[in-house]
Amino acid sequence: MTKLRVAVIQAGSTLFDTPATLDRMAAHCEAAAAEGVQLAVFPEAYIGGYPKGLTFGAVLGSRFPEGREDYLRYWKSAIAVPGPETDRIGSFAAKMAAHLVVGVIERDGATLYCAALFFGPDGTLLGKHRKLMPTGTERLVWGQGDGSTIPVLDTEIGRIGAAICWENYMPDLRQSMYARGINLWCAPTVDERDIWHASMRHIAYEGRTFVLSACQFMTRADAPEDYDCHQGDDPETVLIRGGSIIVSPLGEIIAGPVHDREAILTADIDLHDVIRAKYDLDVAGHYARPDVFSLYVNEAAREPVSFFW
């Protein structure tokens, strides 16, 4: 199977209300299924939410009690992987009969991780990727992933992997995924800036891979009334404006960008275009110089405590 219909879903969360977000996701998946897609990608932190504009009661050197309450509320809206929420998401994939990639906030004990989950067309949870490097103040509320969750999954529709938001700016991560033969590069994000499109086009062109970048569209109305957001309280204020795109292996935008509304963007692609594009540039093959450069990837899970007997 080389010819596919793929989609990115530009949608926002109902912040701090995961059941409501899952209901919204069900409707988006139903609409994508009607488009006949075989792969759908949802944005970063779609399940669990991206609380843009929230300070979590922190200044350099101090954390205040209201921030601890914000963290507790955020933790409560996160999900276990696997768990009942992933079972429900899997049912969406099965109903679509499509592969599904979705950004979530994963709860592991008291620590939260920004993650991307991969589901097969039968609803099976195929794997997960935890964001390696949270950006800026994300580091206050998210832990760091390790090398054990940077998969490129070999599926019947191609080799699927994900890099979340500014992870896409990590050259070594990109090269490790190119070396695994990725041809469906999923980039869940909340980066709404125009320069993001240049980055997605660069990755597609550098890696000779299809890039599917799904960004949230979120307004103040998607957050609760007691959300202390520095952008203000006008329900129509746009917190994340979208800008989702799909890019070909030669860096051409083939769907999007779309701003300021929810949308499903689709494209009909041919994975043979990856091979055609690598004719003159394969950065993990004939264009690499292993006699000069080397990259080592530690895929071991890093547990903070190990018990022996």
Side-chain angles (χ1 to χ4, degrees):
M1 180 185 297
T2 66
K3 294 187 177 181
L4 311 169
R5 173 163 288 186
V6 298
V8 293
I9 315 297
Q10 181 163 292
S13 310
T14 301
L15 202 56
F16 305 126
D17 190 341
T18 294
T21 302
L22 286 167
D23 289 343
R24 292 174 68 175
M25 184 179 185
H28 291 306
C29 287
E30 185 175 346
E35 297 280 346
V37 304
Q38 292 149 286
L39 169 64
V41 181
F42 279 79
E44 177 182 18
Y46 181 71
I47 303 299
Y50 191 88
K52 187 170 182 179
L54 197 62
T55 67
F56 284 92
V59 295
L60 192 62
S62 298
R63 269 76 55 202
F64 300 106
E66 60 269 24
R68 299 187 187 278
E69 295 304 315
D70 288 335
Y71 184 77
L72 175 61
R73 180 160 65 165
Y74 197 30
W75 179 87
K76 287 180 177 178
S77 65
I79 67 171
V81 180
E85 292 84 5
T86 60
D87 290 343
R88 188 173 179 201
I89 297 169
S91 75
F92 302 158
K95 189 173 182 181
M96 297 170 67
H99 284 79
L100 183 60
V101 179
V102 58
V104 307
I105 302 303
E106 178 192 1
R107 182 172 66 210
D108 188 353
T111 296
L112 302 180
Y113 296 93
C114 181
L117 306 183
F118 306 84
F119 294 85
D122 62 353
T124 301
L125 176 61
L126 300 177
K128 73 178 178 183
H129 165 58
R130 284 178 173 173
K131 193 173 187 178
L132 290 172
M133 193 65 242
T135 300
T137 50
E138 293 172 357
R139 299 176 201 173
L140 183 66
V141 291
W142 295 344
Q144 295 179 327
D146 61 32
S148 68
T149 66
I150 49 174
V152 171
L153 302 170
D154 191 5
T155 77
E156 63 270 24
I157 64 166
R159 299 185 64 84
I160 305 172
I164 304 170
C165 207
W166 277 25
E167 281 189 316
N168 286 273
Y169 295 135
M170 299 174 72
D172 289 344
L173 175 61
R174 295 202 308 269
Q175 182 67 357
S176 73
M177 294 171 70
Y178 299 152
R180 291 183 171 100
I182 189 169
N183 50 31
L184 292 166
W185 181 291
C186 304
T189 190
V190 294
D191 194 329
E192 61 187 2
R193 300 167 307 151
D194 291 340
I195 197 171
W196 181 254
H197 303 146
S199 300
M200 296 298 95
R201 295 185 69 184
H202 170 81
I203 290 171
Y205 196 74
E206 175 183 72
R208 295 317 209 231
T209 178
F210 287 97
V211 170
L212 294 84
S213 179
C215 185
Q216 286 207 34
F217 169 69
M218 180 180 172
T219 69
R220 178 63 180 78
D222 291 315
E225 289 185 6
D226 61 350
Y227 183 62
D228 188 15
C229 174
H230 82 264
Q231 290 98 330
D233 293 325
D234 183 344
E236 295 184 2
T237 297
V238 175
L239 303 183
I240 307 170
R241 71 186 185 111
S244 303
I245 57 172
I246 302 174
V247 190
S248 80
L250 288 178
E252 300 163 340
I253 296 175
I254 55 178
V258 173
H259 294 100
D260 298 321
R261 63 181 176 89
E262 292 194 335
I264 297 176
L265 287 70
T266 64
D268 294 313
I269 67 172
D270 183 353
L271 292 182
H272 280 158
D273 285 345
V274 171
I275 306 303
R276 296 180 179 105
K278 286 185 177 181
Y279 159 64
D280 54 358
L281 180 69
D282 183 355
V283 295
H286 64 77
Y287 220 83
R289 286 293 306 274
D291 55 324
V292 179
F293 304 108
S294 60
L295 173 64
Y296 297 91
V297 181
N298 183 354
E299 294 186 306
R302 309 299 294 175
E303 299 294 340
V305 178
S306 298
F307 294 91
F308 297 89
W309 62 92

